[in-house]
Amino acid sequence: MDVSFWDEDVETAQPETLQQIQLDRLRDIINYALKTPFYKRRLAKVGINCDDDVKSVDDLDKIPFTTKDDLRQNFPRGLLAVDMNEVVRIHSSSGTTGIPTVIYFTADDIDNWADLVARCIRATGAAAGDVFQNMMTYGLFTGGLGLHYGAERVGMTVIPIGGGNTKRQIKTMKDFQTTVVHATPSYLLHVHSAILEQGMTIDELALRKAYIGAEPHSENIRKKIEQLYNMDAYNSYGLSEMNGPGVAFECVYKAGMHIWEDAYIPEIIDPATEKKVEDGQTGEVVFTNLIRRATPLLRYRTRDLACIIPGQCECGRTHRRLSRITGRTDDMLIINGVNVFPSQIEEVVMNIPEVGTNYQIHVDKVGALDKLVVKVEIYSKMFRGDAKQLDALKGKIKDELRASIMINPAVELHEPGFLPVSEGKAKRVIDNRPQQYKD
Ligand code: ADP
Ligand code: ZN
């Protein structure tokens, strides 16, 4: 396997060196945090009033967690640590409740972020000479611009096409012989169906690699994308509170995502007790951002569930790896008392060969009971078969789902194109129950 680096010394640094970098940067970022009214108050309570009060990385444990609510309550400037004159960019997300969160960046912050993304790109073997079609939404959402800056830094030819307009995406792939794409996995699956509908084949394109992220997806979705397009797909993880993409990314070994530990200190906690769990155990991912001075965030609770993969990666990078995100602390469905994560359902349906590229989960209240309906698109050739065959397939999907989630769902089979597609993050779960039944 060909292994390339962007910043080899840092990427393969020994644990002691990494820890020293972390401590230096933690002290620096504490100084910036202390410039915000929010952290000044919080840190004073635990005896941290200047960077000297932090003697080792373990001192981080004293600091309370920061939550999305903290960000909302301090909107718009309660977490701003530099003068507005130094701020060159704002990213903001509106969230479901409508109260926005905002992240500010200095020029150095943007520069450091681009460097991390460049590392991710090189880790997959892409380089100058690659044509990079960035199909992720540009704008306040960090996905588009985040990869854009990193890709330019590496020297790739960047096509900043953004999300949507599937026909144009396909034409662009062909016209410029795109080699690397960045998109949500659900959108890439949709684009593949559109390519076939146009009577084109994958051989007319030059695609080699895809960066897929921004939404949860299973190993089976990755495999599907790799098979349909005959290219490698790499998992890309990030969140706007930690800059955006570039927090953790897969290398050519595709065995979990390297977390850039010189820039982010990861912790995995039990979301109920808030105690740290061991490597290999799943819990809520918590990050401290060591490199963004304009909006420092210490021990930020992401609500994403994952584990740290124990052991070393064969690529030689020493930065530990994050597993696939298995869900969010807030996406668990409780159906007739049973806890179900949408990722469990995806794992099952995407492993069934007849199932196509799209599915949806519906939950309704029928009388006193919750009703779970899993709607899946199946390949058109199945519909040409007889009704018996369709019934058998339905039965198989039902049985496999029941074995995995312990409840009995209804299954609907649909033709390709029946379910709505999203150009950005897919909306997989439609929970129609009145609010009080949802949690
Ligand atoms: P929002 O939190 O409003 O969706 P972001 O764009 O910052 O805004 O989204 C970050 C979230 O997207 C992450 O916390 C995670 O839940 C999800 N996400 C991002 N990348 C991945 C990935 N590779 N796998 C699974 N989920 C991901
Ligand atoms: Zn690796």
Side-chain angles (χ1 to χ4, degrees):
M1 198 84 80
D2 254 352
V3 176
S4 9
F5 295 95
W6 175 252
D7 193 346
E8 186 166 355
D9 286 350
V10 177
E11 290 173 58
T12 60
Q14 289 311 303
E16 313 78 68
T17 315
L18 262 182
Q19 261 197 12
Q20 189 57 49
I21 302 177
Q22 286 184 334
L23 179 59
D24 293 346
R25 290 190 172 165
L26 179 60
R27 285 193 172 136
D28 175 76
I29 216 68
I30 289 280
N31 271 332
Y32 280 88
L34 286 166
K35 295 180 206 269
T36 70
F38 171 76
Y39 278 121
K40 197 173 165 51
R41 245 179 294 124
R42 275 230 171 152
L43 293 174
K45 277 194 200 146
V46 296
I48 300 177
N49 297 298
C50 67
D51 56 353
D52 273 349
D53 292 332
V54 177
K55 305 274 187 250
S56 84
V57 173
D58 293 340
D59 285 340
L60 197 58
D61 295 356
K62 293 190 220 160
I63 301 173
F65 296 107
T66 304
T67 63
K68 191 140 194 146
D69 265 351
D70 292 327
L71 284 176
R72 292 196 173 123
Q73 278 161 19
N74 288 279
F75 181 83
R77 295 216 176 154
L79 280 149
L80 174 63
V82 299
D83 192 277
M84 265 316 272
N85 287 340
E86 290 181 54
V87 172
V88 300
R89 177 124 38 104
I90 289 177
H91 279 286
S92 164
S93 78
S94 60
T96 38
T97 63
I99 310 164
T101 57
V102 58
I103 304 290
Y104 300 93
F105 296 82
T106 66
D108 282 345
D109 294 344
I110 295 282
D111 196 55
N112 291 333
W113 178 20
D115 233 46
L116 293 178
V117 176
R119 265 190 218 174
C120 301
I121 291 172
R122 289 298 289 132
T124 69
D130 272 304
V131 178
F132 177 61
Q133 186 164 332
N134 195 4
M135 301 160 68
M136 205 63 103
T137 310
Y138 278 70
L140 286 173
F141 170 68
T142 53
L145 281 169
L147 256 288
H148 181 105
Y149 275 60
E152 281 192 350
R153 181 148 303 182
V154 164
M156 297 208 276
T157 306
V158 180
I159 306 175
I161 189 164
N165 201 341
T166 306
K167 269 203 181 122
R168 185 153 161 235
Q169 297 282 3
I170 298 170
K171 183 168 168 9
T172 304
M173 283 176 187
K174 189 166 175 181
D175 289 347
F176 298 107
Q177 290 288 290
T178 300
T179 56
V180 183
V181 290
H182 174 218
T184 56
S186 53
Y187 187 53
L188 266 191
L189 287 170
H190 169 67
V191 170
H192 182 265
S193 318
I195 290 173
L196 299 189
E197 260 167 43
Q198 292 186 17
M200 279 174 62
T201 64
I202 290 302
D203 297 344
E204 295 170 57
L205 305 173
L207 299 176
R208 308 234 68 84
K209 294 181 173 63
Y211 303 148
I212 53 175
E215 66 186 17
H217 57 283
S218 57
E219 190 59 39
N220 289 329
I221 286 267
R222 182 230 296 272
K223 284 200 196 115
K224 195 155 225 165
I225 290 173
E226 293 193 322
Q227 280 160 9
L228 292 174
Y229 282 95
N230 189 23
M231 65 178 169
D232 288 299
Y234 299 92
N235 196 357
S236 155
Y237 171 81
L239 61 163
S240 37
E241 294 85 349
M242 290 297 124
N243 294 351
V247 176
F249 217 88
E250 282 182 333
C251 69
V252 285
Y253 285 94
K254 297 181 199 162
M257 304 179 278
H258 290 284
I259 306 162
W260 303 123
E261 293 191 78
D262 59 319
Y264 303 100
I265 298 181
E267 298 171 70
I268 310 286
I269 62 166
D270 176 328
T273 63
E274 300 191 339
K275 295 261 180 308
K276 287 195 210 200
V277 303
E278 307 263 302
D279 284 4
Q281 296 203 323
T282 298
E284 181 176 349
V285 186
V286 172
F287 284 115
T288 296
N289 187 326
L290 297 172
I291 53 156
R292 194 188 50 228
R293 290 170 166 171
T295 313
L297 284 183
L298 309 171
R299 307 192 87 197
Y300 180 72
R301 289 186 64 162
T302 63
R303 298 182 292 185
D304 291 327
L305 298 170
C307 71
I308 300 264
I309 298 171
Q312 294 287 317
C313 183
E314 287 182 67
C315 70
R317 287 181 180 78
T318 46
H319 300 236
R320 286 176 301 164
R321 290 161 297 162
L322 190 67
S323 72
R324 199 170 276 295
I325 309 296
T326 53
R328 286 170 66 109
T329 52
D330 49 8
D331 80 353
M332 188 179 76
L333 295 163
I334 304 181
I335 298 173
N336 297 325
V338 179
N339 298 348
V340 177
F341 282 99
S343 58
Q344 293 175 286
I345 295 177
E346 174 173 315
E347 190 76 42
V348 171
V349 296
M350 284 297 148
N351 202 24
I352 295 179
E354 294 90 344
V355 170
T357 51
N358 205 353
Y359 73 95
Q360 247 187 6
I361 299 164
H362 289 244
V363 192
D364 293 285
K365 199 91 196 154
V366 180
L369 289 179
D370 297 325
K371 182 166 186 230
L372 171 67
V373 184
V374 179
K375 302 185 178 189
V376 297
E377 285 182 9
I378 59 172
Y379 288 117
S380 337
K381 56 178 185 288
M382 269 305 289
F383 272 104
R384 280 183 237 125
D386 58 20
K388 253 203 213 132
Q389 233 178 335
L390 282 179
D391 271 351
L393 176 60
K394 210 190 243 184
K396 177 166 112 178
I397 298 175
K398 255 179 136 152
D399 289 348
E400 292 195 15
L401 279 171
R402 191 178 35 228
S404 165
I405 60 177
M406 309 308 197
I407 53 174
N408 210 355
V411 171
E412 284 180 15
L413 304 182
H414 295 284
E415 283 197 84
F418 177 85
L419 297 170
V421 273
S422 143
E423 288 152 2
K425 294 182 193 242
K427 185 157 175 49
R428 300 286 198 198
V429 179
I430 316 287
D431 194 340
N432 293 315
R433 292 174 295 179
Q435 188 57 41
Q436 73 265 29
Y437 294 116
K438 289 186 184 176
D439 28 52

